[in-house]
Amino acid sequence: MEERNKTLGEFIIENQKAFQYSSGELSRIINSIRLAAKVVNYKVNKAGLVDIIGAAGEQNIQGEDQQKLDVYANEVFIQTLINREIVCGIASEENDDFITVQGSDNSHNNKYVILMDPLDGSSNIDVNVSVGTIFSVFRRITPIGTPVTSEDFLQPGVNQVAAGYVIYGTSTMLVYTTGHGVNGFTLNPAIGTFYLSHPNMKFPQNGNIYSVNEGNYVHFPQGVKNYIKYCQREEEDRPYTSRYIGSLVSDFHRNMIKGGIYIYPTSSKAPKGKLRLLYECNPMAFIAEQAGGKATDGFGRIMEIKPTELHQRVPFFCGSYNMVEKAEEFMAEAL
């Protein structure tokens, strides 16, 4: 079969043996995400027609206004994963605490936990900018047969067995890795099937795009300010192009295809950074590294950070390898 005509289902079956633990559970998790993504995609694409955009009137654990579609996406992903009885625990950016999942026989025999940002960039829904879902999968570390504990979720990113994102845009794509490279699948909405459209995705080693919210420039650390000035200087292959959507999935996806760096640093307004280590940075770092890119907090590897809390925030520098290295040089010099 021609590589580009392969469906996601066929790809999962063919590559199941490449998973470190080939029990079929990980394949079923990806399949569940595929199913939930199709449901959410349908709602996202008709959001302008019905009263599902706008705020739900509550704030999530982060203190951010929850958009109605956030809440809907959260419920769809959680219910799909619970109904299929394939994970023993779920942590979502939208929920205060993790969810313990037990089987229909009251057992706790499943081996994986999943962490997710069900609708990243949701503040952009009402202006029709691409939003996405981000997910991260770990093998549990507490004994099988017992309920999950926070220990199962507070693992460093190097322990991830799978990570990915769905981008709901002009076309809907599911991009994921299980530690054997990164592959992208595009949804054919006419028949509801994802096809392998972007095999073996790679970050260009260098790029000419920098993605940072320059409106916060005065609040940034000196190293970031210096790097931004470097990007803007007219010399060698610069100035670089500034592109910032404000939707992590969209900015990351573009930079992986075209070459670039994404930066969400600490600032005087967000002294720990804004992005969540477990729901956003770890999964994106895993994908970046598998695609030949780099992801750090400005000084060290994101995936080696030992989490201490579910909703922990960290600064995030991610993208083309040489660009991230250069940004780290400016961070070190400014210390």
Side-chain angles (χ1 to χ4, degrees), residues 137-203:
V137 182
F138 289 87
R139 194 169 166 87
R140 68 180 299 171
I141 49 181
T142 51
I144 290 170
T146 62
V148 289
T149 71
S150 60
E151 188 186 356
D152 294 304
F153 298 94
L154 299 179
Q155 299 187 55
V158 288
N159 291 358
Q160 289 174 103
V161 293
Y165 61 83
V166 184
I167 183 166
Y168 310 102
T170 45
S171 58
T172 293
M173 279 188 70
L174 190 158
V175 175
Y176 81 100
T177 182
T178 55
H180 301 275
V182 179
N183 291 281
F185 301 81
T186 300
L187 179 66
N188 178 340
I191 53 176
T193 302
F194 281 96
Y195 286 95
L196 179 62
S197 54
H198 294 65
N200 196 26
M201 298 177 80
K202 291 287 182 190
F203 267 98

Side-chain angles (χ1 to χ4, degrees), residues 72-86:
Y72 176 81
N74 195 40
E75 288 171 358
V76 167
F77 275 94
I78 288 171
Q79 282 309 312
T80 303
L81 290 160
I82 289 175
N83 292 347
R84 294 205 162 189
E85 297 189 11
I86 43 176

Side-chain angles (χ1 to χ4, degrees), residues 204-257:
Q205 285 288 95
N206 296 291
N208 64 357
I209 296 170
Y210 68 101
S211 309
V212 61
N213 185 353
E214 290 181 74
N216 287 329
Y217 181 88
V218 295
H219 302 287
F220 287 157
Q222 192 59 45
V224 174
K225 290 178 179 175
N226 294 345
Y227 179 71
I228 290 173
K229 289 297 178 202
Y230 165 84
C231 292
Q232 295 169 340
R233 212 172 294 141
E234 200 159 343
E235 58 187 30
E236 298 171 343
D237 61 339
R238 287 168 283 126
Y240 294 151
T241 301
S242 174
R243 291 281 182 271
Y244 186 72
I245 298 167
S247 176
L248 171 61
V249 168
S250 303
D251 281 310
F252 179 97
H253 187 72
R254 180 204 53 242
N255 288 354
M256 180 159 62
I257 291 170

Side-chain angles (χ1 to χ4, degrees), residues 31-46:
N31 268 319
S32 294
I33 288 165
R34 170 181 68 171
L35 175 65
K38 285 197 281 190
V39 176
V40 172
N41 176 66
Y42 175 72
K43 288 288 188 185
V44 167
N45 282 316
K46 72 173 203 173

